[in-house]
Amino acid sequence: MRSVYTLLRVCDAEIAGWSHDGLQVVIFDPARFASELCPKFFRHRNFQSFTRLLNMYQFHKVPSSQRDSKEVYFEHPHFQRGRDDLLSLVQRKGAQSVRDELVAREMWQRSALG
C-alpha cells in the first residue's frame, strides 16, 4: 500500500488526492487516473483493477454525496494522510486469519510440550 500512499503524494491534484479530513482517497478523474497514473505505479491501465487491489486490502468504496459525480472515494481505517506509520496495519484479506492460526498452533505446541 506504500505505492498508493506515494502515488497520492506525487500525483496531479486534479486526478487524485485525499479528502479534506485526510481519511479518504479521492479519485477525481478515474479515466485520467487509469491512463496516466496506473501505468506508472501498477502494471495496467484499468481502473477496475485498481479498485480490486484496494478491495483486496479491505478498502471500502464510499458513496459520493453528489449523485452525478464522477469522483470515487475509498476509505480504510488505517490509511490516512500523514500517517504512514499505520501502513503496516493495511493488510490483504486473509492475512490476519493465517497469523491467528500460526499463533494458535504455537500455543498448542507449547501446552503439549509442557
Side-chain angles (χ1 to χ4, degrees), residues 20-88:
H20 292 292
D21 60 8
L23 299 178
Q24 296 176 338
V25 174
V26 185
I27 310 300
F28 299 108
D29 190 336
R32 282 186 65 198
F33 182 90
S35 65
E36 296 176 28
L37 292 175
C38 282
K40 291 179 183 177
F41 290 87
F42 312 103
R43 292 183 208 144
H44 58 77
R45 293 177 180 265
N46 189 324
F47 189 72
Q48 289 178 332
S49 294
F50 175 74
T51 299
R52 275 194 302 276
L53 172 74
L54 293 183
N55 287 336
M56 282 193 307
Y57 283 88
Q58 303 177 50
F59 279 74
H60 298 285
K61 191 172 180 182
V62 180
S64 176
S65 58
Q66 296 177 353
R67 191 175 169 108
D68 295 331
S69 175
K70 66 179 178 180
E71 297 173 356
V72 182
Y73 294 79
F74 297 95
E75 66 182 12
H76 187 289
H78 302 299
F79 197 83
Q80 303 172 13
R81 180 180 53 218
R83 295 296 311 270
D84 61 343
D85 59 308
L86 298 175
L87 290 177
S88 64

